[in-house]
Amino acid sequence: MSAATRPWFVYLIECRGGSVYTGISTDVDARYQAHLCGKGARYTRMHPPLRLLAVIPCTDRSAALSAE
């Protein structure tokens, strides 16, 4: 599947301290693993992830950004 046709997703991660981080990706599993390893967003390095709460499919990157 080409990058142009890959589906986009909004994902929500529960972080330590009770906060929720929201992001977008075409590969949520890989992105979540990056967050767990401290290689994701600066926010999740400071507030380590506890669990993936939700994954919401979107039609394209623009829709995912709007939903985020």
Side-chain angles (χ1 to χ4, degrees):
M1 190 175 284
S2 75
T5 60
R6 253 185 268 157
W8 282 86
F9 301 90
V10 174
Y11 61 92
L12 289 88
I13 297 173
E14 180 182 2
C15 298
R16 230 178 266 164
S19 62
V20 175
Y21 175 83
T22 306
I24 67 168
S25 180
T26 57
D27 187 345
V28 175
D29 291 332
R31 187 68 177 140
Y32 183 61
Q33 289 304 312
H35 287 295
L36 288 174
C37 294
K39 296 179 182 179
R42 181 182 303 163
Y43 187 85
T44 56
R45 286 194 297 270
M46 301 297 293
H47 305 86
L50 295 176
R51 66 186 174 121
L52 189 60
L53 292 174
V55 176
I56 304 159
C58 296
T59 54
D60 55 27
R61 185 176 190 271
S62 179
L65 284 169
S66 293
E68 182 186 30

